[in-house]
């Protein structure tokens, strides 16, 4: 079966648009849903009874989205092909009592989310975005995408040791951004400001999930523009590729699998939430799809037994200034194609049979791929792959795109790797 679409650098242009428009997981899933709607998918509510009709469907829950396409001839026991990813990125998130300040400066109290490279947040023009919950229980997205906040670094004249001892940041004291001047801290100021931004009445907002983001736009970089610098590539690069691949294969006649995109929240802090990969969301959606098509528990077991998930997340490209930190025989390079992640201690879920599935998909798509393992002397990171495999009992393969500056406010990838990944995902979903 040939791919219905072949992605190129235009896909990378579109990725940059997606990154800029998605400063939070809530915005990312809203933008993904909009693209799915344009491709003919329709939202289904978890509180409604589901029918067994064919076509594209999706579920939204907080910062997570599960989307799937049911072919017309899909049996209840038809297996799934899943692209898994996550929508969250390390950042600075607003505390329940956000209004702070000292010595004539007005500040916003923030908490550290995930494991950011904290120095990368210094002296950046930061916006503020997220989700507001109103008194009536409804929610509104907010995005102040202009210079609003800044975490100022201490001048070298007041920290001479920084040149010899390195920068040392205290997470509580040194990362609270400023956003104005004033001697009196007034409770409610920040939320009142956001209510005014959205044209809401005073006191209408009763809950919030807010986070900071750099307002600097993604950009091509290098003499030949062969690189892309931008925010939240870990892991909106994979979310974007998954949406593109799923919409590309939807409607393809003769699909032997049900293609799925599962983009979770909270990967950066362990995935243990109702919208994380370690929660029941994916399993519930897949099971309900089986049962809605008249299936039994036996059909559900057969479907899961034949299912394969590609857990797509960014990985580490070899760093020219720190090559000794990498495995000496595994040096993934940007624009060398997506990477297959392997760890025998199960920090990644890939095994030999999973490698074969991935290799076949890349071969059909004419996409090169590389292998990644950690240096034996370095701890290995992990992602949603092992969690997905263990929680649902489905074969899972960890893959992704090699980048530099992972967990920085601004990461770096090759300009060709995003569309190479998307082409490989199309091939995988088609089976």
């Amino acid at each position: 079966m040939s791919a219905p679409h072949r992605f190129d650098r235009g896909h990378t242009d579109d990725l940059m648009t997606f990154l800029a428009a998605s400063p939070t997981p809530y915005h990312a899933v809203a933008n993904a849903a909009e693209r799915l709607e344009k491709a003919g998918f329709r939202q289904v509510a978890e509180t409604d009874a589901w029918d067994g009709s064919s076509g594209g469907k999706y579920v939204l829950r907080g910062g997570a989205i599960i989307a799937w396409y049911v072919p017309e001839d899909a049996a209840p026991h038809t297996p799934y092909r899943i692209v898994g990813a996550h929508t969250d990125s390390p950042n600075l998130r607003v505390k329940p009592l956000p209004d702070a300040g000292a010595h004539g400066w007005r500040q916003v109290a923030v908490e550290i989310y995930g494991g950011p490279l904290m120095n990368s947040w210094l002296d950046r023009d930061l916006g503020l975005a997220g989700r507001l919950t109103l008194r009536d229980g409804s929610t509104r997205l907010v995005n102040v995408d202009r210079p609003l906040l800044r975490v100022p670094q201490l001048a070298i004249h007041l920290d001479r040791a920084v040149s010899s001892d390195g920068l040392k940041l205290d997470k509580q004291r040194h990362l609270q951004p400023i956003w104005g001047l004033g001697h009196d801290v007034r409770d409610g100021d920040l939320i009142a400001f956001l209510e005014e931004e959205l044209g809401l009445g005073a006191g209408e907002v009763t809950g919030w999930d807010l986070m900071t983001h750099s307002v600097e736009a993604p950009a091509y970089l290098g003499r030949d523009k062969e690189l892309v610098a931008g925010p939240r590539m870990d892991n909106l690069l994979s979310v974007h590729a998954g949406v593109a691949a799923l919409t590309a294969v939807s409607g393809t006649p003769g699909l032997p699998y049900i293609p799925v995109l599962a983009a979770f929240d909270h990967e950066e802090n362990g995935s243990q939430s109702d919208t994380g990969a370690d929660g029941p969301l994916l399993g519930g959606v897949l099971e309900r799809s089986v049962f809605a098509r008249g299936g039994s528990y036996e059909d559900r077991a057969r479907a899961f037994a034949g299912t394969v998930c590609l857990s797509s997340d960014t990985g580490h490209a070899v760093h020219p200034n720190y090559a000794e930190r990498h495995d000496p025989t595994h040096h993934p390079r940007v624009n060398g194609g997506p990477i297959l992640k392997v760890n025998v201690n199960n920090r990644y879920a890939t095994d030999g049979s999973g490698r074969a599935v991935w290799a076949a998909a890349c071969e059909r798509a004419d996409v090169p791929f590389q292998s990644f393992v950690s240096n034996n002397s370095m701890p290995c990171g992990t992602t949603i792959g092992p969690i997905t495999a263990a929680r649902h009992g489905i074969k899972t393969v960890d893959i992704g795109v090699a980048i530099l500056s992972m967990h920085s406010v601004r990461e770096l990838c090759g300009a060709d790797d995003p569309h190479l990944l998307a082409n490989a995902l199309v091939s995988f979903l088609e089976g």
Side-chain angles (χ1 to χ4, degrees):
M1 186 181 297
S2 60
H5 188 76
R6 184 75 180 176
F7 298 109
D8 54 22
R9 277 286 184 96
H11 174 89
T12 306
D13 294 338
D14 189 62
L15 167 64
M16 295 163 69
T17 299
F18 186 80
L19 292 173
S22 305
T24 76
Y26 313 111
H27 290 81
V29 299
N31 290 324
E34 182 179 1
R35 290 162 182 251
L36 291 164
E37 290 277 353
K38 289 180 180 178
F41 285 66
R42 61 181 177 86
Q43 183 176 1
V44 293
E46 293 184 81
T47 54
D48 291 344
W50 292 6
D51 60 45
S53 61
S54 60
K57 308 173 185 182
Y58 68 92
V59 165
L60 282 180
R61 185 192 289 183
I65 184 169
I66 311 291
W68 67 103
Y69 178 82
V70 180
E72 288 188 7
D73 57 350
H77 61 269
T78 299
Y80 299 94
R81 281 285 174 103
I82 305 168
V83 173
H86 68 88
T87 61
D88 59 320
S89 301
N91 56 19
L92 310 179
R93 302 202 172 188
V94 175
K95 289 183 176 180
L97 300 176
D99 299 293
H103 306 291
W105 296 98
R106 297 173 68 190
Q107 295 176 278
V108 174
V110 295
E111 190 173 3
I112 312 303
Y113 178 82
L117 284 172
M118 293 187 294
N119 63 291
S120 71
W121 287 86
L122 302 178
D123 296 329
R124 296 271 185 179
D125 295 335
L126 303 176
L128 189 66
R131 178 181 66 176
L132 301 175
T133 302
L134 308 187
R135 191 171 295 279
D136 62 5
S138 64
T139 59
R140 293 279 298 273
L141 295 183
V142 62
N143 183 12
V144 184
D145 195 31
R146 63 180 187 271
L148 180 69
L149 306 130
R150 188 178 179 91
V151 183
Q153 188 169 189
L154 185 65
I156 193 171
H157 314 80
L158 304 178
D159 187 14
R160 296 289 185 182
V162 70
S163 297
S164 56
D165 299 342
L167 180 64
K168 298 177 181 179
L169 295 172
D170 182 281
K171 293 180 180 180
Q172 179 63 36
R173 294 185 296 128
H174 299 153
L175 291 172
Q176 307 305 309
I178 60 173
W179 75 304
L181 299 174
H183 289 282
D184 298 323
V185 175
R186 297 190 295 270
D187 290 340
D189 256 8
L190 181 67
I191 301 306
F193 163 75
L194 295 176
E195 288 173 333
E196 186 176 346
E197 283 284 307
L198 290 181
L200 299 172
E204 205 168 337
V205 173
T206 56
W208 52 88
D209 302 280
L210 298 167
M211 55 204 76
T212 60
H213 66 277
S214 171
V215 299
E216 187 179 2
Y220 284 106
L221 185 145
R223 184 191 66 182
D224 299 318
K225 297 183 178 180
E226 68 267 58
L227 302 169
V228 174
R232 300 176 293 280
M233 291 182 184
D234 177 16
N235 184 34
L236 294 187
L237 189 157
S238 295
V239 175
H240 176 261
V243 172
L246 179 60
T247 55
V249 304
S250 65
T252 301
L255 286 173
Y257 303 100
I258 296 174
V260 179
L261 169 67
F264 302 100
D265 201 352
H266 301 131
E267 188 272 348
E268 297 293 354
N269 62 8
S271 295
Q272 292 185 323
S273 71
D274 68 326
T275 53
D278 204 18
L281 180 58
L282 176 60
V285 168
L286 299 184
E287 289 179 350
R288 290 185 69 178
S289 178
V290 170
F291 299 149
R293 285 176 279 122
S296 62
Y297 183 82
E298 181 72 11
D299 292 312
R300 178 259 187 218
R302 293 174 65 188
F304 277 44
T307 292
V308 182
C309 174
L310 288 186
S311 163
S312 181
D313 201 352
T314 54
H316 303 296
V318 61
H319 196 301
N321 300 336
Y322 301 91
E324 73 281 358
R325 303 294 182 96
H326 300 264
D327 182 86
T329 60
H330 294 75
H331 281 176
R333 288 170 168 76
V334 297
N335 287 336
I339 56 174
L340 176 73
K341 302 179 183 180
V342 179
N343 180 264
V344 296
N345 294 303
N346 222 40
R347 300 290 286 173
Y348 301 127
T350 307
D351 63 10
S353 61
R355 184 189 192 281
V357 172
W358 170 243
C362 289
E363 183 178 1
R364 287 193 302 269
D366 194 26
V367 168
F369 75 91
Q370 311 173 81
S371 294
F372 171 84
V373 296
S374 289
N375 185 306
N376 286 336
S377 299
M378 304 287 292
C380 181
T382 190
T383 182
I384 66 169
I387 294 171
T388 304
R391 181 166 185 84
H392 306 294
I394 58 180
K395 179 177 291 297
T396 304
V397 187
D398 276 297
I399 57 102
V401 162
I403 68 171
L404 291 181
S405 306
M406 186 184 293
H407 287 198
S408 171
V409 75
R410 198 165 176 82
E411 298 162 324
L412 186 73
C413 78
D416 291 326
D417 285 329
H419 67 80
L420 292 174
L421 173 65
N423 286 328
L425 296 184
V426 166
S427 176
F428 167 74
L429 291 177
E430 284 185 323

